[in-house]
């Protein structure tokens, strides 16, 4: 049975490659167009095999040396412009003619913020960003703090703590509460919900062929279940708001209550897709950032000592062992813990690359970049550039004591689509580390985690 399935998969894969090749041939312009230099590799697969065979950073470094900071290639079945420099990142990430790549539209939904354009995109951003302002985030400090304490409390009864599991639990509970306050993360319903979100993430990393038993098919099924669940939740909340006028401080309310003269009320489909955007955006990324931060602090005694001193000062100031962290307390973490967070984001490159699709022919430095080509902007090659960050592979938070120059530190991307969750993530990380350091002097069993962590990082960075 397995053999038959494998042969079908191989056949589908070949058909898929053939179609990609035919489509990509359509996109290549006649040679009169001056493209950025580059190599397009083999027919069908282009340079995808080298991209995966070499480490992606080696792939980028060798081509950057050969062709310059912006080069053309053929990756994952599409003719692609690859950007590795600050100047090019700023250009592509602010360019009005570089839209969403559309690679995941079918899976993540047509109305999702990351696929929306123009006034629709601006509308969703207004709503999400409205929740990330200090006045709103202030209210989340208590929730995040309680969550961090609850998770750390449970460590006391465990012989060994697998940090990745714990950081996933933390980010999962935090994001669920952010999306809908009334949902309790540990109920079977919520565990199923996050399993479905996870299936979506896995599906996004697969070839998009809808055949039985494949992870892609499972992701589509998970997507349908998520829609049904969220639809029920939205209808229930709409009814509650209508009957009692009861308000909640969560994303569900923000979307439902948003009134716009031009758009009117937001449809269930729009709310569903964008709640999924928050669940997708805020889960694994935060968990990985926290995991890396703990690891780097553990391996760098000097940085650890500085962060510890800062947290102890806050702890002593509170004057009691039973205290609530406040927004103002988190402001006391800017000098040391916040720079350690920034250094973690730079070095770990949790989202190492973003993609765009060119919507009409554009010019860049005398080259023509054709419509329908993909653009890959690699933030990781900027963050690991020795000319910008000397000793780039070393964890050294002190480098962020002087603010980074525009475009040189872009873990959350840049321009109109910059991640709206950056302030929330930083808050979550600071609160957790504060509680961890003031409660435990930790020692980690990282060797248990390494294989899992590495595979997570590779998939999350699209590497
Ligand atoms: C360490 C954690 C995180 C990292 C590194 C990160 C990074 C990114 C990046 C690189 C993008 C793509 C921007 C682009 O296409 O140019 C993005 C988009 C997005 N992120 Fe995050 N993110 C993180 C956490 C979060 C959290 C906690 C949330 C919300 C709960 C969130 C919500 C979003 C949303 C909604 C978008 C789409 C924005 C748009 O298309 O306008 N992210 N994020």
């Amino acid at each position: 049975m397995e053999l038959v399935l494998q042969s079908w998969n191989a056949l589908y894969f070949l058909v898929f490659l053939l179609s990609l090749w035919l489509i990509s041939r359509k996109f290549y312009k006649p040679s009169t167009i001056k493209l950025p230099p580059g190599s397009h590799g083999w027919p069908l697969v282009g340079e995808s095999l080298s991209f995966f065979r070499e480490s992606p950073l080696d792939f980028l470094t060798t081509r950057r040396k050969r062709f310059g900071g912006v080069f053309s290639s053929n990756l994952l079945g599409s003719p692609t412009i690859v950007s590795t420099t600050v100047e090019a990142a700023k250009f592509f990430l602010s360019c009005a003619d570089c839209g969403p790549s559309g690679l995941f539209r079918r899976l993540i939904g047509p109305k999702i913020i990351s696929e929306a354009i123009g006034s629709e995109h601006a509308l969703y951003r207004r709503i999400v960003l409205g929740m990330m302002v200090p006045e709103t985030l202030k209210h989340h400090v208590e929730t995040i703090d309680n969550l961090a304490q609850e998770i750390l409390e449970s460590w006391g009864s465990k012989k060994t703590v697998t940090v990745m599991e714990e950081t996933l639990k933390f980010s999962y509970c935090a994001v669920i509460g952010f999306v809908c306050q009334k949902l309790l993360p540990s109920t079977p319903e919520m565990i199923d919900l996050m399993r479905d979100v996870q299936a979506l993430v896995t599906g996004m990393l697969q070839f998009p062929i809808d055949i039985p038993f494949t992870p892609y098919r499972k992701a589509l099924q998970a997507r349908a279940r998520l829609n049904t669940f969220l639809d029920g939740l939205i209808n229930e909340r709409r009814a509650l708001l209508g009957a009692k006028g009861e308000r909640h401080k969560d994303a569900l309310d923000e979307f439902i209550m948003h009134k716009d003269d031009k758009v009117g009320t937001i449809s269930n489909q729009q709310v569903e897709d964008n709640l999924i955007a928050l669940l997708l955006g805020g889960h694994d990324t935060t968990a990985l950032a926290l995991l890396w931060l703990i690891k780097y602090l553990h391996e760098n005694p000097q940085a650890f000592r500085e962060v510890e001193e800062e947290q102890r000062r806050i702890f002593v100031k509170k004057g009691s062992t039973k205290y609530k962290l406040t927004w103002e307390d988190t402001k006391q973490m800017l000098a040391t813990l916040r720079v350690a967070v920034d250094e973690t984001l730079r070095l770990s490159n949790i989202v190492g690359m973003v993609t765009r699709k060119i919507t009409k022919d554009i010019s860049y430095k005398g080259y023509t970049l054709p419509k329908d080509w993909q653009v890959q902007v690699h933030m990781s090659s900027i963050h690991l550039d020795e000319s910008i960050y000397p000793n780039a592979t070393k964890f050294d938070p002190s480098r962020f004591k002087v603010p980074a120059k525009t475009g040189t530190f872009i873990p959350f991307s840049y321009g109109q689509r910059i991640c709206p969750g950056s302030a929330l993530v930083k808050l979550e990380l600071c609160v957790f580390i504060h509680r961890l350091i003031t409660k435990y002097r930790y020692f980690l069993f990282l060797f248990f985690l390494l294989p899992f962590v590495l595979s997570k990082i590779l998939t999350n960075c699209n590497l």
Side-chain angles (χ1 to χ4, degrees):
M1 175 69 180
E2 215 164 85
L3 206 64
V4 174
L5 267 180
Q6 275 175 7
S7 352
W8 273 109
N9 276 343
L11 187 65
Y12 277 119
F13 184 60
L14 280 177
V15 173
F16 177 70
L17 286 180
L18 188 64
S19 345
L20 284 180
W21 180 59
L22 290 171
I23 293 165
S24 67
R25 278 181 68 85
K26 181 170 136 331
F27 293 138
Y28 278 108
K29 300 273 163 154
S31 54
T32 48
I33 280 181
K34 194 178 168 204
L35 289 167
S39 123
H40 291 256
W42 297 88
L44 300 178
V45 287
E47 292 199 292
S48 307
L49 293 180
S50 319
F51 189 72
F52 288 112
R53 200 180 48 229
E54 299 166 30
S55 97
L57 203 61
D58 288 347
F59 177 92
L60 296 172
T61 313
T62 46
R63 276 151 192 83
R64 186 172 163 170
K65 273 193 195 135
R66 212 163 130 208
F67 305 120
V70 175
F71 56 88
S72 60
S73 180
N74 185 324
L75 293 170
L76 310 173
S78 297
T80 304
I81 304 293
V82 182
S83 146
T84 64
T85 63
V86 173
E87 194 193 0
K90 287 204 257 180
F91 174 82
F92 288 113
L93 296 175
S94 334
C95 162
D97 301 314
C98 299
S101 68
L103 291 173
F104 310 118
R105 190 169 290 136
R106 179 165 178 213
L107 206 54
I108 56 180
K111 296 288 174 195
I112 201 161
I113 181 170
S114 48
E115 290 296 327
I117 52 170
S119 57
E120 193 180 8
H121 178 239
L123 167 72
Y124 301 149
R125 277 194 78 85
R126 268 201 307 282
I127 301 175
V128 177
L129 283 170
M131 304 183 62
M132 304 293 180
V133 291
E135 295 74 56
T136 318
L137 287 181
K138 267 179 194 177
H139 298 290
H140 285 293
V141 178
E142 190 179 342
T143 320
I144 299 168
D145 189 27
N146 288 341
L147 203 56
Q149 290 185 76
E150 212 175 283
I151 287 175
L152 289 168
E153 203 59 57
S154 73
W155 290 15
S157 56
K158 292 179 182 168
K159 275 193 184 151
T160 304
V161 172
T162 307
V163 184
M164 184 71 194
E165 272 174 21
E166 302 297 308
T167 62
L168 273 171
K169 201 190 297 167
F170 174 66
S171 69
Y172 155 72
C173 296
V175 79
I176 291 263
F178 189 76
V179 164
C180 176
Q181 258 179 2
K182 106 171 193 216
L183 297 178
L184 297 173
S186 49
T187 56
E189 213 179 17
M190 284 310 102
I191 291 166
D192 285 349
L193 177 106
M194 275 332 266
R195 248 186 225 131
D196 283 341
V197 172
Q198 211 58 58
L200 265 191
V201 176
T202 311
M204 287 163 74
L205 302 164
Q206 307 296 318
F207 284 103
I209 319 174
D210 181 12
I211 46 174
F213 310 115
T214 56
Y216 188 75
R217 166 66 68 87
K218 286 185 186 148
L220 286 172
Q221 290 164 341
R223 170 73 219 203
R225 281 193 299 274
L226 281 170
N227 273 66
T228 313
F229 174 78
L230 291 173
D231 205 43
L233 201 67
I234 295 163
N235 289 337
E236 197 182 295
R237 182 66 70 86
R238 284 197 201 277
L240 209 64
L241 279 166
K244 298 189 196 156
E246 208 175 284
R247 294 277 338 237
H248 300 76
K249 285 193 174 66
D250 58 21
L252 181 53
D253 245 34
E254 290 299 319
F255 272 96
I256 289 178
M257 290 299 289
H258 193 86
K259 290 250 164 27
D260 201 293
D261 289 346
K262 282 190 209 139
V263 200
T265 336
I266 294 180
S267 71
N268 276 22
Q269 169 86 66
Q270 286 173 305
V271 184
E272 279 159 38
D273 285 5
N274 287 294
L275 293 184
I276 290 179
L278 296 175
L279 291 170
L280 280 174
H283 182 29
D284 279 22
T285 47
T286 309
L288 279 167
L290 183 54
L291 176 78
W292 277 114
L293 177 57
I294 294 172
K295 180 180 185 296
Y296 290 141
L297 287 177
H298 171 68
E299 290 172 350
N300 293 276
Q302 170 68 20
F304 178 83
R305 255 193 313 277
E306 286 179 18
V307 170
E308 189 186 30
E309 271 165 29
E310 188 184 65
Q311 304 319 305
R312 292 257 167 235
R313 270 199 302 275
I314 297 171
F315 176 79
V316 170
K317 246 192 191 169
K318 297 304 270 187
S320 145
T321 47
K322 286 206 160 106
Y323 61 94
K324 283 184 184 228
L325 264 188
T326 61
W327 175 255
E328 286 64 37
D329 296 328
T330 64
K331 296 281 145 214
Q332 310 298 310
M333 301 173 187
L334 292 178
T336 308
L337 181 49
R338 272 293 288 274
V339 290
V341 169
D342 284 351
E343 177 66 345
T344 300
L345 292 167
R346 177 194 74 81
L347 191 52
S348 60
N349 286 300
I350 288 154
V351 182
M353 183 253 285
V354 292
T355 51
R356 296 284 188 270
K357 187 175 184 180
I358 301 175
T359 54
K360 73 173 197 215
D361 285 8
I362 49 178
S363 301
Y364 178 75
K365 293 198 161 183
Y367 298 117
T368 300
L369 312 182
K371 178 174 183 284
D372 288 329
W373 278 44
Q374 293 284 337
V375 177
Q376 287 188 357
V377 177
H378 288 268
M379 290 93 87
S380 55
S381 53
I382 295 172
H383 294 155
L384 297 173
D385 186 333
E386 286 286 329
S387 67
I388 303 173
Y389 296 104
N391 272 331
T393 51
K394 186 175 182 302
F395 179 77
D396 177 9
S398 70
R399 58 174 106 234
F400 280 104
K401 296 215 161 146
V402 180
K405 287 198 188 116
T406 322
T408 58
F409 178 59
I410 49 172
F412 298 104
S413 187
Y414 179 90
Q416 302 94 321
R417 291 182 181 271
I418 189 168
C419 174
S422 58
L424 177 64
V425 177
K426 291 182 181 184
L427 187 66
E428 289 178 3
L429 266 50
C430 286
V431 169
F432 193 93
I433 293 294
H434 171 84
R435 288 296 180 182
L436 175 61
I437 283 187
T438 49
K439 187 172 173 64
Y440 292 109
R441 281 194 138 270
Y442 50 95
F443 60 95
L444 306 171
F445 295 90
L446 273 172
F447 52 91
F448 279 134
L449 309 173
L450 274 179
F452 179 52
V453 172
L454 285 178
S455 79
K456 273 280 182 194
I457 289 152
L458 291 175
T459 48
N460 272 277
C461 299
N462 280 341
L463 300 182

